[in-house]
Every structure is written in C-alpha cells, then in structure tokens.
Amino acid sequence: MGAGMQVRGRVLSVASECVPLVKTGGLADVVGALPAALGRMGWEMRVLMPAYRALRPRLSAMREVWTEDGLFGGTGTVFLGEVAGISVMLLDAPHLYDREGGPYAGPAGDWADNAERFAALSWVGARMAREGIEGWKADVLHAHDWQAGFAPAYLAYGGTGGVGSVITVHNIAFQGWADAGRIGALRLPREAFHPAALEYYGGLSSLKAGLVTADRITTVSPTYATELLRPEYGMGLQGVIAARGADVSGILNGVDTDVWSPEAEPVPYSVKSLKGKAANRAALCAEFGLDVPSGPLAIVVSRLTDQKGIDLLPAVVPDFVAAGGALLVLGSGDPALEGAMRGLESRFPRRVGVRIGYDEGLSHRMFAGADAVLVPSRFEPCGLTQMYGLRYGTVPVVAAVGGLADTVIHASPAALSAGVATGVQFHPTDAIAFGQALRQLCALHANPALWGVVQKNAMRHPVGWETSAAAYAALYDGLAR
Ligand code: ADP
C-alpha cells in the first residue's frame, strides 16, 4: 500500500497457489496480483496458503504468528513473511504439505487426502479471520476456488466474528469432491447435510460449500457469471449459482502490465512503433527453426487439455499452413494432445514448432514475436493469454466464451469500419468455426493497413488491474461491517 494512504479495510485471501511461489494456472497469477492492486485502493491484503515443500525459505522477514495442535492429524504453524511485496502467511503442516510433487498430486496421482489438506487451510483461514492475528483483524475473507471453499462454511457454521466472505470461482470444473462419510472429520455440521446446504450428489463438495455459505460470489468474467447458470458450463452447480441471484457477479482479471510489457522484451516496441516486433519475430522463427512465414505467425501457450480446444488444431493447421501461416505451441498436459502436437510438428517441420513443457521466458518471447495468439477454448472463465496478446499487439483469435468474449472485440465489418476491432472471435468451438476464423486472420494479416489498426487497437485496450481492483474494492466495502 502507498505510504500515508488511509486503510479502507483488511482482507485475508485464502488460496492454494500464489505467484511467485507456486503456480499451476491463472489462479496463481490472480492471487499474486490482487494484493498490490487492492493495496492501491486502500485495501490491505494478506495471502494465506500452504507451506508446500521448500517454500518457507522463500519468504523474507518471516516470523511465527499462529500455531494449532490437532490440525487434521498434526500441528499447523503459520509463518508471516514477504515475497515480491506480498504479505504471505504460510501454513506449515508437514503431515499435509511436506511432500514430493505438485500442490494437488504426487507421482501416483491426486493425493487421497486432498479434502483434509485444503479443509485444514480453510479452517485456519476462517479462524484467523474470526479471531485476528496479533491484532490484525480481517474485515473480509476472500476464498479462491474449491481449495478454500470450506473457509466461508466454517465462518457460517462456527461464527463469522463479523467477517464478511467472498468466494471467487476461477474454474467451476474443479469442485473438491469428498465422501459424505467424511463430514464429521472435515469439521462440518451433520445437520447441514441436505441439498440446500452441504450435500452434493450424495457427497460433499468444498466448492459448493463455499457457494452456499459465502456472502458474495464472484467469478472472473461477466460472461462466465451468466454462462454458469447453464448446465453445460455450471457442471452440476448451475442451480446453486442461480439460487444466489444478485449475490453473484463477474469481475475480469487483469494482467501485470510491468511484467507483460512489449517495452521490456529483448527488442522493445510499443504502440507508437511496432518496428521492434519484426526483429522479435525473426528471432523467434530462428529459435524454433522455422521458415519466416509470409502469412501470420500464430502461437498457443496453454495447458494442453480438452478445455482449451487443443484437439481442434490438427484439423485446422493444414489449411492454415497452406495459406502461408505458421504455428508455435508451448504447453504440456494430456499425453495424447502432446503427441498430436508433436505429430503436427513432424508433418510441417518448417511451419510448426512445438515445445512440451512450462517456460515463462519462452512464452514472453513468443508473445513478443508472434502475430496472433490462438485460444480455442470450450469454456474459459477469464483467460490470460488473450490479454497478453492484446498488450503485445499479438492479435487474439478466440472462441467466444467466458472472459474471451468479454476482452476481445471481434473484427466484424461494423467493428472494422468503426476502427475498434482488437481480434477475431468464433463460435461454436469447433473446427469449422475455428478454420473460418483462421481464414479471417490470414485475410486481415494480408492487408497491412487494416492489420496495423487492429494491432494498435489491441495494444491500447486496457488489460491492467485498475478497473477490476476498483470493482473488488467496492465489493469489499459492501461487506465490511
Ligand atoms: P488456466 O488457468 O486455465 O490454465 P489462464 O489463461 O487463465 O488458463 O492462465 C494460464 C497461465 O499459465 C497464463 O499465465 C499462461 O501464460 C501460463 N501458461 C500456461 N502454460 C504455459 C507454459 N507451458 N509455459 C509458460 N506459461 C504457461
């Protein structure tokens, strides 16, 4: 927070991931970005997350602020410290978190005790919010996704202590399922095991628990908030969302415009002069061993999963390549999709380049050098890569769903003549519509005057946190009592 700024209130953010400590997806970016963005609005935020293996040494100025015996089978200790300007509290509970592997899974798949592991995080979050931490008393508890879903429930059933609660749905596909028989072990009231409260298809869902008990629900785009009312997007929770009516709202994610800045790339460029982009493009082609294409150089930076529509690429890439395009893919995930991407690369070695893995530095070089970013998702709560694309003048070609629909202005004839288009949208998410969108991309790219306008519109489109942080601040204001 800025020095001398008046504190509007305090928020305890409870999450399983936070950049720069742990990230498996966009959730971590958002959790890591909110403290600074909200700090500028006068809301002081601390993040509570698990102390996964080897995390503690990454905090500076660390001290113990909380301890609790008998925390789901062991002792939990909370350490408060700082990383990258964020006040982080790590819940150190070695019996739950000191393991080889990722946050949710080890070498043999998902951890069998995930319900307890994240119930513990939620439990401590609710207690710290309710009781205060050395005089630091939260006005609002902000729970993120299924991992923190039980936190509002513990407040609702165990006493709120005057703390308001918000749950943000970053992806409703992950619901935190647990057997009904674990309700007592999870410290939830058996009386609440009925459809209007905790019961979910005969079992428990930590996400549902949060959705029925939090004071407010947000999701990460306005369109996703309305999509969630429909079965194909709500994935079982559409009725729960509908029942909350006006308590549900959509607030778009932003991106860190200092980190994601074309002016910070190897050959800097800006909306005033895109000249540097051509040099980045040539370097990128060389890095991947591609011929420099006459048509658009497109990229995909993504988890390789069904959600992301990656399986559509083999159907559309041959025509795209024939039209002069080239494609670079960076991602990892489903082995079948990884194989399909490798298959495209061996079929078009000079036109398609694939890197299986996770590489932040490379993703920056790809956005700096490419002409377009492809995001053919089947559903997309918000999506970040289309926003990186906008910022870099790397024109987004997106399925018209969720946050993709909310952030990209489709190059319709009307938008083009009004001079406001920032990209291409297509619907539905299938190979026919995607192929058509790629043909439109090629046509736009072949018209340098038009292309330049779309690129510059994209780069001028605000993708920072300002608007969204103001929306969260207003939401918190309404909850602070
Ligand atoms: P999701 O959270 O569903 O994976 P988002 O678009 O919201 O999708 O966020 C994904 C984030 O992860 C973005 O910051 C994206 O750049 C990054 N990312 C995904 N895959 C990779 C990869 N292989 N290498 C580098 N960054 C990646």
Side-chain angles (χ1 to χ4, degrees):
M1 269 184 36
M5 181 183 277
Q6 201 181 339
V7 179
R8 251 156 114 174
R10 299 192 166 93
V11 186
L12 178 62
S13 178
V14 182
S16 58
E17 309 182 13
C18 177
V19 161
L21 293 173
V22 181
K23 164 169 165 172
T24 73
L27 164 69
D29 292 300
V30 177
V31 172
L34 283 177
L38 267 299
R40 287 191 284 274
M41 302 273 144
W43 275 92
E44 196 179 290
M45 186 179 275
R46 287 184 180 176
V47 177
L48 173 69
M49 64 178 289
Y52 304 112
R53 176 168 290 182
L55 229 50
R56 258 175 60 190
R58 304 209 15 217
L59 293 198
S60 59
M62 196 176 68
R63 66 195 161 85
E64 188 181 318
V65 293
W66 182 276
T67 182
E68 184 166 343
D69 291 328
L71 183 70
F72 295 84
T75 299
T77 310
V78 177
F79 294 91
L80 168 66
E82 257 204 41
V83 64
I86 308 169
S87 284
V88 176
M89 295 190 291
L90 289 181
L91 172 58
D92 193 21
H95 59 296
L96 300 172
Y97 309 126
D98 185 15
R99 300 179 186 181
E100 188 67 47
Y104 318 117
D110 282 0
W111 304 114
D113 59 349
N114 272 343
E116 285 77 8
R117 294 174 74 233
F118 294 101
L121 176 74
S122 303
W123 177 264
V124 171
R127 279 201 61 191
M128 291 180 110
R130 187 193 292 129
E131 297 168 26
I133 313 139
E134 298 178 338
W136 192 90
K137 182 77 175 72
D139 299 286
V140 176
L141 181 149
H142 190 158
H144 296 274
D145 267 353
W146 69 269
Q147 298 92 335
F150 284 141
Y154 292 136
L155 285 177
Y157 298 124
T160 64
V163 179
S165 58
V166 184
I167 185 162
T168 295
V169 180
H170 296 263
N171 192 336
I172 210 159
F174 304 104
Q175 303 186 344
W177 173 264
D179 288 336
R182 282 149 94 175
I183 191 165
L186 292 169
R187 305 183 178 180
L188 292 161
R190 284 173 211 279
E191 316 81 80
F193 191 74
H194 57 84
L198 296 180
E199 189 271 348
Y200 187 57
Y201 294 99
L204 294 165
S205 148
S206 57
L207 183 59
K208 182 190 172 183
L211 294 176
V212 294
T213 55
D215 294 322
R216 296 282 188 284
I217 297 169
T218 70
T219 185
V220 288
S221 68
T223 293
Y224 194 56
T226 60
E227 286 172 345
L228 287 181
L229 298 168
R230 301 183 1 223
E232 64 270 36
Y233 295 101
M235 300 186 183
L237 288 166
Q238 59 276 8
V240 177
I241 300 274
R244 294 301 310 267
D247 292 336
V248 184
S249 62
I251 301 177
L252 276 173
N253 292 332
V255 307
D256 185 328
T257 51
D258 293 330
V259 173
W260 291 97
S261 167
E263 293 177 69
E265 295 301 334
V267 184
Y269 63 95
S270 70
V271 72
K272 289 194 204 88
S273 163
L274 278 115
K275 238 186 258 146
K277 195 165 177 59
N280 291 314
R281 187 180 193 263
L284 184 62
C285 289
E287 182 172 355
F288 275 85
L290 295 198
D291 296 331
V292 175
S294 58
L297 174 61
I299 57 170
V300 170
V301 178
S302 180
R303 292 186 290 123
L304 303 180
T305 66
D306 179 68
Q307 175 195 336
K308 301 292 182 177
I310 303 300
D311 53 298
L312 301 175
L313 286 169
V316 298
V317 164
D319 281 353
F320 181 57
V321 163
L327 174 70
L328 299 174
V329 178
L330 168 63
S332 64
D334 181 344
L337 294 173
E338 292 181 355
M341 296 304 102
R342 291 216 157 96
L344 278 176
E345 185 181 41
S346 38
R347 189 166 158 204
F348 304 106
R350 311 293 299 176
R351 291 301 197 84
V352 176
V354 174
R355 293 283 182 282
I356 300 300
Y358 187 92
D359 187 334
E360 209 126 315
L362 176 57
S363 76
H364 275 262
R365 296 195 294 284
M366 289 169 73
F367 281 99
D371 302 305
V373 56
L374 313 182
V375 197
S377 304
R378 294 198 161 78
F379 66 94
E380 194 59 78
C382 178
L384 293 174
T385 59
Q386 84 281 11
M387 294 204 267
Y388 305 153
L390 291 171
R391 177 101 175 113
Y392 279 70
T394 304
V395 173
V397 177
V398 303
V401 294
L404 302 173
D406 291 335
T407 51
V408 174
I409 300 171
H410 176 58
S412 65
L416 284 171
S417 65
V420 297
T422 63
V424 177
Q425 292 194 6
F426 62 93
H427 185 80
T429 303
D430 64 21
I432 294 172
F434 191 12
Q436 174 67 35
L438 290 175
R439 283 193 289 283
Q440 187 181 357
L441 173 72
C442 291
L444 280 174
H445 183 261
N447 181 336
L450 210 52
W451 181 253
V453 171
V454 174
Q455 271 189 315
K456 289 190 173 180
N457 287 342
M459 294 179 82
R460 287 194 190 102
H461 187 97
V463 293
W465 271 103
E466 294 75 16
T467 309
S468 306
Y472 278 114
L475 182 80
Y476 298 154
D477 285 339
L479 288 174
R481 306 162 193 171

